[in-house]
């Protein structure tokens, strides 16, 4: 993961505040702990498969289904999964816009 470049992109492009940037970077590092380098996932398929693994609907929640991903969530599975998926999507967007492989 291109941590510094991603953080700078979040600051300049998304105009996020420091605490939000730190959270998104931390979320991405957390995903990498279980799924390896986000850059490798981006090179493989643009991060689509990884992003799909972080889908968890209200119906999934209602039916108490397990998540498709293996990252442990302490708290609400749906909102925790959505938070991680949003961070992944931001990283993918960063990679596309920055044209960094």
């Amino acid at each position: 993961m291109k941590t510094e470049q991603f953080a700078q992109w979040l600051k300049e492009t998304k105009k996020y505040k420091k605490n939000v940037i730190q959270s998104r970077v931390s979320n991405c590092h957390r995903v990498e702990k279980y799924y390896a380098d986000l850059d490798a996932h981006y090179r493989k398929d643009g991060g689509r498969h990884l992003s799909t693994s972080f889908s968890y609907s209200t119906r999934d929640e209602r039916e108490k289904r397990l998540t498709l991903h293996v990252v442990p969530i302490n708290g609400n599975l749906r909102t925790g999964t959505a938070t991680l998926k949003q961070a992944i999507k931001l990283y993918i967007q960063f990679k596309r816009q920055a044209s960094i492989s």
Side-chain angles (χ1 to χ4, degrees):
M1 182 173 135
K2 310 276 190 243
T3 302
E4 295 304 317
Q5 296 96 322
F6 180 48
Q8 192 65 31
W9 179 83
L10 290 170
K11 180 180 178 182
E12 293 174 2
T13 305
K14 296 296 185 178
K15 309 292 186 214
Y16 287 167
K17 294 185 184 213
K18 186 177 180 178
N19 63 327
V20 175
I21 293 168
Q22 290 172 334
S23 292
R24 295 301 155 253
V25 169
S26 177
N27 295 149
C28 287
H29 281 300
R30 189 156 178 238
V31 170
E32 283 189 322
K33 180 178 178 181
Y34 295 91
Y35 285 94
D37 187 34
L38 291 179
D39 294 320
H41 288 281
Y42 183 78
R43 284 189 299 273
K44 181 179 177 184
D45 66 357
R48 284 182 291 281
H49 179 71
L50 181 63
S51 184
T52 301
S53 297
F54 285 83
S55 295
Y56 195 79
S57 68
T58 53
R59 183 176 182 179
D60 293 332
E61 180 181 38
R62 216 178 13 251
E63 295 178 7
K64 299 185 185 330
R65 292 184 182 147
L66 296 175
T67 61
L68 299 175
H69 63 82
V70 297
V71 179
I73 303 286
N74 295 324
N76 184 280
L77 290 178
R78 186 177 51 79
T79 57
T81 298
T83 298
L84 296 176
K85 183 174 185 169
Q86 180 60 28
I88 293 165
K89 289 171 78 172
L90 281 168
Y91 194 75
I92 291 168
Q93 186 179 8
F94 153 71
K95 295 288 284 186
R96 285 185 183 141
Q97 287 184 3
S99 298
I100 298 173
S101 56

